Amino acid sequence: MSRWCNKTLSVKTKEERGFSWDRAASHKETVISMEGQRVQRSPSSSHWVCAFGNKAFNLKRRYATIKVSGDSPYLYVGVAYKGAPVAEAYNNVSVLWRKGSGDLCFHGVRLNRSKLPSVSSASGELCYGGGDVVGIMVDVKLGKVAFFCNGVLARTASGLRTDVDVLPFVSLGSADVVAEFTTESFIPTTPRDFSSQRRLRS
């Protein structure tokens, strides 16, 4: 018997890291931190700029959390399809939730907060502002997206495409707002009409 037969082969694998902002896919006038977690608009920019997350949602990677900083309301947080324009506040290939107003922009159609059904049991959680953590949950199988504020469900929408990559996405219209991927421990409950109701960690 060969002396190699009783040797055990061990393979070390790196644990998958969370989301970060994709410099190559984002607008050139975004300012992304060295570690890739924070993004804001360049002070020299005078228009909307957008940033893509570095990974698409899938059956296992279903939830992202983004901490919001700054006083300006000029920020949208949500998802977009790979290749979406990066110089528009919102467009027909994104689903975005606006800071302050709570309006939802679905595939280019802006839906005023007052026209959206409430899905939150907590008053004051239908909007988000500076210091809040926005959660984004995507059901790639059924084409659904849910938005959370500090772990509380605030918005759901159906009709996402299921044949293309869906990635985290932000639109920044002011230099004072910052969007930062975070691992703060708000653990949401999956909405009832999603394909899985298991509790998740970001």
Side-chain angles (χ1 to χ4, degrees):
M1 179 182 291
S2 169
R3 63 190 179 93
W4 300 107
C5 289
N6 58 359
K7 294 286 185 179
T8 301
L9 177 66
S10 63
V11 178
K12 292 185 178 180
T13 58
K14 290 185 178 180
E15 182 179 350
E16 183 181 16
R17 297 185 64 184
F19 290 102
S20 60
W21 298 109
D22 188 335
R23 288 182 175 83
S26 302
H27 195 283
K28 64 181 180 180
E29 292 179 17
T30 55
V31 178
I32 298 174
S33 62
M34 185 174 294
E35 74 282 3
Q37 299 300 297
R38 292 165 53 93
V39 64
Q40 60 191 118
R41 194 183 78 169
S42 169
S44 63
S45 180
S46 60
H47 52 84
W48 286 89
V49 299
C50 305
F52 269 104
N54 66 329
K55 299 175 184 176
F57 291 96
N58 57 33
L59 292 174
K60 292 184 178 180
R61 189 190 307 121
R62 304 173 58 228
Y63 188 62
T65 48
I66 297 172
K67 187 168 185 175
V68 173
S69 305
D71 296 326
S72 169
Y74 301 118
L75 173 70
Y76 291 88
V77 176
V79 299
Y81 306 131
K82 186 176 182 180
V86 292
E88 300 173 354
Y90 56 92
N91 50 61
N92 63 357
V93 285
S94 62
V95 180
L96 302 170
W97 189 26
R98 182 157 185 169
K99 181 175 181 275
S101 72
D103 295 345
L104 189 69
C105 298
F106 191 93
H107 289 169
V109 178
R110 185 169 178 174
L111 305 172
N112 185 274
R113 174 188 173 187
S114 63
K115 297 179 181 179
L116 292 167
S118 172
V119 295
S120 175
S121 60
S123 62
E125 294 288 359
L126 296 179
C127 302
Y128 65 94
D132 289 329
V133 174
V134 175
I136 308 164
M137 186 183 295
V138 175
D139 186 330
V140 296
K141 183 177 180 180
L142 298 181
K144 297 176 181 288
V145 60
F147 294 97
F148 300 79
C149 179
N150 300 325
V152 177
L153 181 63
R155 293 278 180 262
T156 61
S158 301
L160 284 181
R161 290 180 59 183
T162 58
D163 60 333
V164 294
D165 285 344
V166 179
L167 300 103
F169 191 79
V170 293
S171 299
L172 306 119
S174 174
D176 82 310
V177 288
V178 177
E180 180 180 5
F181 283 117
T182 180
T183 56
E184 291 197 25
S185 57
F186 294 112
I187 305 174
T189 300
T190 303
R192 292 181 180 180
D193 56 347
F194 276 46
S195 59
S196 172
Q197 292 185 1
R198 291 176 298 178
R199 293 174 68 83
L200 308 178
R201 291 189 180 274
S202 58

